[in-house]
Amino acid sequence: MQKILLAEDDPNLGDILKDYLELKGKFDVTLCKDGDEALRQFNKEKFDLCILDVMMPRKDGFTLGKDIRKIDANIPIIFATAKGMMEDKTEAFGLGGDDYITKPFRVEELLLRIHALLKRASRERQTEEELPDRFQIGKYHFDYVAQQISYNEQKQKLSTKEAELLRLLCIKKNDVLTREEALLKIWHDDNYFNGRSMDVFLSKLRKYLRDDPKVEIVNVHGKGYKLLVS
């Protein structure tokens, strides 16, 4: 049974949603009345999807969503709010939200959105599992799972983000990895500060691969980066 974290401070609406999703959707729903309680539950249990009310006491839904994204970068998140302003929607998706629903809404519509997001998440997991974990980069061997580059007896341990970035470059070898794609897949936000952070990781990767003149990570002006292996 798939598990849903529902953060809703309106006790009547929260109970209605919980009962409906458990009865009609056959989900296991954990209902929390504020953002702090929801974050504590998220740290205790494994969930498949989150529904977060934006206007909550102690910790609002946007802040909660940001905290959840730090723990699990891929879990589907639906933001629910009484507001319908475009800036709220922009913030919701900017924080890594997957969907946005405005109150009042039909619970049948919410259920449809949940099923759509869970199906998409399942497809993405399957695609991710099909991607290779080991790569040959010139004279270097890169093990993504071990987060390590090796050459002869020399081994270089990578940070998680270094390994994720190098894996994307390897998958796109001799082709362009756009800056936006890398930022959204690894940092889940293509803002300026994340872009500067990625530049630092690229510099480190270039340093790790510098002993093979046939391997180069080049900037493609206005587009992104390319791992060239001749």
Side-chain angles (χ1 to χ4, degrees):
M1 184 179 291
Q2 292 174 300
K3 299 187 67 173
I4 292 178
L5 176 64
L6 171 61
E8 172 57 63
D9 68 324
D10 183 330
N12 293 326
L13 178 58
D15 288 339
I16 290 171
L17 292 176
K18 175 179 169 64
D19 291 345
Y20 184 87
L21 294 176
E22 289 183 337
L23 180 64
K24 297 293 186 180
K26 307 300 181 184
F27 295 112
D28 179 4
V29 180
T30 298
L31 174 60
C32 299
K33 302 299 176 63
D34 63 65
D36 284 342
E37 180 188 351
L39 186 59
R40 286 194 298 270
Q41 286 300 128
F42 192 83
N43 280 306
K44 289 180 183 178
E45 303 179 53
K46 176 69 175 178
F47 291 96
D48 297 287
L49 181 139
C50 298
I51 304 169
L52 311 180
D53 179 35
V54 172
M55 302 299 290
M56 287 189 296
R58 298 185 183 176
K59 188 189 292 287
D60 66 87
F62 287 150
T63 303
L64 174 59
K66 189 182 297 185
D67 291 340
I68 286 174
R69 273 283 172 260
K70 293 176 183 176
I71 302 168
D72 188 332
N74 300 311
I75 187 168
I77 296 177
I78 299 175
F79 287 108
T81 179
K83 294 183 178 180
M85 300 296 290
M86 181 56 68
E87 53 265 30
D88 293 313
K89 296 182 181 180
T90 301
E91 184 171 2
F93 290 117
L95 289 171
D98 298 277
D99 206 348
Y100 183 104
I101 192 165
T102 304
K103 299 177 183 177
F105 55 80
R106 293 173 59 87
V107 288
E108 296 88 351
E109 179 187 354
L110 177 62
L111 184 57
L112 288 173
R113 293 181 184 223
I114 290 170
H115 283 309
L117 284 177
L118 289 174
K119 285 181 181 179
R120 190 182 79 184
S122 177
R123 289 196 300 269
E124 289 175 352
R125 282 195 300 271
Q126 290 173 358
T127 301
E128 182 68 18
E129 290 169 358
E130 292 169 359
L131 294 175
D133 291 327
R134 291 181 174 86
F135 303 88
Q136 195 67 36
I137 312 171
K139 62 184 181 183
Y140 295 97
H141 177 72
F142 169 43
D143 188 325
Y144 170 72
V145 175
Q147 296 183 196
Q148 182 175 272
I149 299 174
S150 58
Y151 166 59
N152 289 338
E153 300 300 318
Q154 300 177 359
K155 295 182 179 180
Q156 175 64 54
K157 190 68 176 177
L158 304 180
S159 70
T160 297
K161 282 189 167 54
E162 287 171 350
E164 290 176 346
L165 183 55
L166 183 55
R167 188 191 195 197
L168 287 179
L169 287 165
C170 287
I171 291 169
K172 295 267 192 175
K173 186 175 72 173
N174 295 325
D175 199 359
V176 176
L177 170 65
T178 68
R179 188 175 179 84
E180 181 183 29
E181 178 183 356
L183 286 170
L184 291 177
K185 284 190 175 180
I186 300 174
W187 280 266
H188 305 283
D189 191 334
D190 59 350
N191 65 46
Y192 171 80
F193 299 102
N194 287 338
R196 293 301 300 272
S197 176
M198 184 169 67
D199 290 339
V200 173
F201 286 113
L202 283 165
S203 296
K204 290 182 178 179
L205 291 177
R206 290 186 176 106
K207 181 180 177 181
Y208 300 152
L209 301 170
R210 65 186 176 186
D211 289 337
D212 188 344
K214 295 184 178 181
V215 177
E216 187 178 9
I217 300 174
V218 299
N219 292 341
V220 181
H221 182 69
K223 293 184 178 180
Y225 313 96
K226 185 183 290 187
L227 173 63
L228 295 177
V229 181
S230 58

